[in-house]
Amino acid sequence: MIKFFLMVNKQGQTRLSRYYEHVEINKRTMLEAEVIKNCLSRSKDQCSFVEYKDFKLVYRQYAALFVVVGINETENEMAVYELIHNFVEVLDKYFSRVIMFNLDRVHIILDEMVLNGCIVETNRNRILAPLLVLDKVAES
């Protein structure tokens, strides 16, 4: 099961966070800081799977952006690694350039892919269908 999903820049600033288990706000800040420090300090030659406390971190770097997912021990690391790549491909397909001004749309995409910490959809066209409908409604 996925515990949390983070998008972080190289400066360590969280750009998007979604938690699938209850974590108090002050603990989220500490958790994010530790997780970010842990992932950003690793070299590109090191594995993208990290044991951390009572869960695992799976992360990928895309240019200046890191996507970090916290999972429990029963989740398949490679499946989550591919989920991250699929998520970035969907973002790339939907947005032409800047995504940070459209975080509501990023959340919708993530919600289409992950529900209650479980991967529910990976098909790009089905993930983007609700957004395309929203875009058509907004245009009219």
Side-chain angles (χ1 to χ4, degrees), residues 31-93:
L31 174 69
E32 288 175 20
E34 291 173 11
V35 164
I36 292 165
K37 187 180 96 182
N38 208 330
C39 292
L40 267 61
S41 65
R42 297 173 62 85
S43 74
K44 290 185 179 188
D45 297 331
Q46 290 180 296
C47 181
S48 294
F49 310 144
V50 182
E51 296 277 339
Y52 179 77
K53 295 190 179 180
D54 63 336
F55 52 90
K56 298 175 191 173
L57 302 174
V58 179
Y59 71 94
R60 281 184 98 150
Q61 180 180 0
Y62 294 92
L65 191 68
F66 283 82
V67 180
V68 184
V69 180
I71 59 173
N72 65 11
E73 65 283 343
T74 61
E75 190 69 48
N76 182 330
E77 293 97 338
M78 282 305 292
V80 173
Y81 192 72
E82 286 303 311
L83 170 76
I84 293 170
H85 186 66
N86 192 31
F87 175 70
V88 172
E89 284 183 338
V90 171
L91 292 179
D92 189 47
K93 185 174 180 179

Side-chain angles (χ1 to χ4, degrees), residues 25 51 60 73 93 104 110 126-127 131:
I25 297 293
E51 296 277 339
R60 281 184 98 150
E73 65 283 343
K93 185 174 180 179
D104 59 328
L110 184 57
R126 286 195 293 250
I127 292 166
L131 284 172

Side-chain angles (χ1 to χ4, degrees), residues 95-113:
F95 298 105
S96 55
R97 298 249 174 192
V98 180
I99 63 171
M100 290 306 130
F101 299 119
N102 299 297
L103 280 177
D104 59 328
R105 303 294 177 157
V106 177
H107 278 277
I108 291 170
I109 290 170
L110 184 57
D111 289 344
E112 287 295 317
M113 297 177 78

